Amino acid sequence: AIHRLMFLMQRFFRAVSSTTPVLLFLDDLQWADSASLELIRTIVCDGNMTSFLFVGAHRSNEVGDDHILLSAFRKISGSGISIHHILLDNMDKISVNALISDTIKLSPLLTRPLTDAVYSKTSGNCLFVVELLGDLYRQGHLRYSVPMRRYEWNLDAITGLEINEDVVDIMRRKMLRLGATETWSLKIAACLGAQMKESTLNLLSMGFGFSPDSGLVTLLQQPIAEGLLLKVGSNIRFSHDQIQHAAYSLISNADKPSLHLKIGRSLCNVSKAENADEMIFTCVDQLNRGSTEIKNHSEKLKVAQINLHAAKKVIASSTFLAASIYLKLAVSLLEAGDWETDYNLCLEIYS
């Protein structure tokens, strides 16, 4: 199946690029699995494509010498394809001043003192700059003067601020200013990942006992309005991975396994036969992340069965690494006596 997918994607990009230039951009390549990287390599190394450019972004601090991404780069280079590496650093002070000038609609000359203060606190981190400006506005240090018809700021107060936090801490404080239910819904969304389907949120709302008009999708409307989340079609996603990190950090480490388990149980309970296959990976991911909280052995066997089902599905698409992870987790949930009471399940898992 994976080879058919690679062949079809290769033919697709070959056909499209034959009539018009194509630019494909993928972000966060440091999280790509080996199958995805192999698909990228297959497309990029196709010598029959004429007007195709691939641009990928990754965090260099998360990619070590033995990372599979660097191995993929070496394979692509070995095929004669040129790779140009561009290091994107924090913004310099001129760029920060241009951003602030454009944001508050004042000339760069007038905003330079504010820029100096902001730059000294953020070192030019773009997300940090934007969030700090919002924080200064909420604290009254940056405000719009109606008589002067322009923004003004309290430079002494801004300079005197002690910012010993990073952007995640600023985002945490922004989230905690929301209502308790909205903050709780952000925690649930963070457990589900960087992006989630509305259908998944609706199912989970049913599992939590919400009415259709007061479920998670409704509760997340305020975080969407605050810019913490984005609604793209029928999907809702965090507007930045650091924002998801901040939302997830609102949950104590001790509470994370039990919350994941609650989400997994709720999704499994409300998933019907027609959407069971669609929800299997979301369910198994949540159950596995909360498996340390499972005390009932019959539930452990049920979760082992779900992991086996997930493993079979990914084996069918030749994703063997993921399958091995599901099977190892299934094995960890079994006990020695299960060979006598649930022989067929144990045999399937170990086979």
Side-chain angles (χ1 to χ4, degrees):
I2 189 66
H3 295 299
R4 288 197 299 272
L5 173 63
M6 289 183 181
F7 174 75
L8 290 173
M9 292 298 290
Q10 187 181 52
R11 294 298 296 268
F12 169 76
F13 281 106
R14 188 184 297 175
V16 174
S17 64
S18 66
T19 59
T20 184
V22 174
L23 168 64
L24 173 63
F25 172 73
L26 295 178
D27 198 4
D28 290 321
L29 289 179
Q30 72 275 5
W31 295 333
D33 58 20
S34 55
S36 301
L37 292 173
E38 181 60 22
L39 175 58
I40 292 171
R41 189 195 67 79
T42 300
I43 295 170
V44 169
C45 295
D46 183 1
N48 293 315
M49 273 199 281
T50 52
S51 304
F52 177 82
L53 175 64
F54 175 79
V55 178
H58 69 88
R59 294 183 180 178
S60 55
N61 62 320
E62 295 184 20
V63 177
D65 293 337
D66 58 345
H67 198 282
I68 58 173
L69 179 60
L70 295 187
S71 176
F73 286 165
R74 287 190 289 269
K75 289 180 181 178
I76 293 172
S77 297
S79 300
I81 304 297
S82 298
I83 298 180
H84 301 279
H85 296 276
I86 303 173
L87 178 63
L88 296 179
D89 210 341
N90 288 343
M91 295 188 297
D92 58 23
K93 193 178 290 188
I94 294 175
S95 299
V96 173
N97 193 37
L99 173 62
I100 293 176
S101 170
D102 185 63
T103 300
I104 63 177
K105 307 303 180 187
L106 286 176
S107 74
L109 185 63
L110 292 174
T111 57
R112 196 172 293 162
L114 176 60
T115 295
D116 290 340
V118 170
Y119 188 83
S120 69
K121 306 293 183 184
T122 63
S123 299
N125 181 297
C126 185
L127 181 61
F128 207 164
V129 169
V130 172
E131 290 305 324
L132 180 58
L133 287 174
D135 222 31
L136 294 177
Y137 179 79
R138 285 186 287 269
Q139 294 180 47
H141 300 317
L142 175 65
R143 62 196 177 279
Y144 187 78
S145 170
V146 175
M148 299 298 295
R149 295 198 296 180
R150 51 161 282 186
Y151 277 93
E152 296 179 338
W153 50 87
N154 186 336
L155 193 59
D156 290 337
I158 296 172
T159 304
L161 286 175
E162 289 189 15
I163 301 179
N164 299 318
E165 54 197 1
D166 59 16
V167 69
V168 172
D169 294 314
I170 286 184
M171 299 310 303
R172 278 165 55 92
R173 287 199 287 114
K174 184 174 181 178
M175 293 170 187
L176 290 172
R177 282 193 288 265
L178 298 170
T181 52
E182 285 80 7
T183 302
W184 174 82
S185 67
L186 272 175
K187 295 178 183 178
I188 299 298
C191 287
L192 292 171
Q195 179 171 292
M196 62 234 69
K197 295 180 179 179
E198 281 191 353
S199 57
T200 301
L201 293 170
N202 289 332
L203 277 175
L204 189 53
S205 297
M206 290 172 54
F208 285 159
F210 288 109
S211 61
D213 58 346
S214 63
L216 285 164
V217 173
T218 300
L219 292 175
L220 290 172
Q221 294 308 305
Q222 182 60 30
I224 291 173
E226 293 284 339
L228 298 168
L229 297 166
L230 297 174
K231 189 175 184 304
V232 184
S234 60
N235 293 333
I236 294 175
R237 66 177 178 86
F238 284 92
S239 53
H240 195 281
D241 60 344
Q242 291 283 24
I243 296 176
Q244 186 206 352
H245 183 193
Y248 195 61
S249 71
L250 293 174
I251 312 166
S252 69
N253 289 331
D255 291 337
K256 285 174 183 175
S258 59
L259 184 54
H260 281 294
L261 182 58
K262 181 179 180 180
I263 293 171
R265 284 170 173 167
S266 298
L267 285 173
C268 286
N269 289 338
V270 298
S271 296
K272 298 179 181 179
E274 59 267 24
N275 56 24
D277 281 349
E278 178 184 344
M279 294 303 303
I280 178 66
F281 297 112
T282 304
C283 290
V284 77
D285 175 62
Q286 296 299 316
L287 291 170
N288 288 343
R289 296 173 77 175
S291 60
T292 56
E293 296 296 306
I294 301 176
K295 308 303 180 185
N296 184 283
H297 186 60
S298 62
E299 185 177 11
K300 288 184 178 181
L301 291 177
K302 179 182 177 182
V303 175
Q305 178 71 60
I306 295 173
N307 272 281
L308 175 61
H309 181 46
K312 287 179 177 178
K313 286 187 70 65
V314 295
I315 286 173
S317 61
S318 303
T319 313
F320 300 112
L321 179 60
S324 69
I325 294 172
Y326 291 133
L327 292 172
K328 285 177 182 177
L329 282 161
V331 167
S332 71
L333 294 167
L334 300 177
E335 296 180 358
D338 293 330
W339 279 99
E340 294 184 9
T341 57
D342 290 276
Y343 177 81
N344 290 335
L345 174 62
C346 293
L347 182 62
E348 270 201 279
I349 291 172
Y350 275 92
S351 299

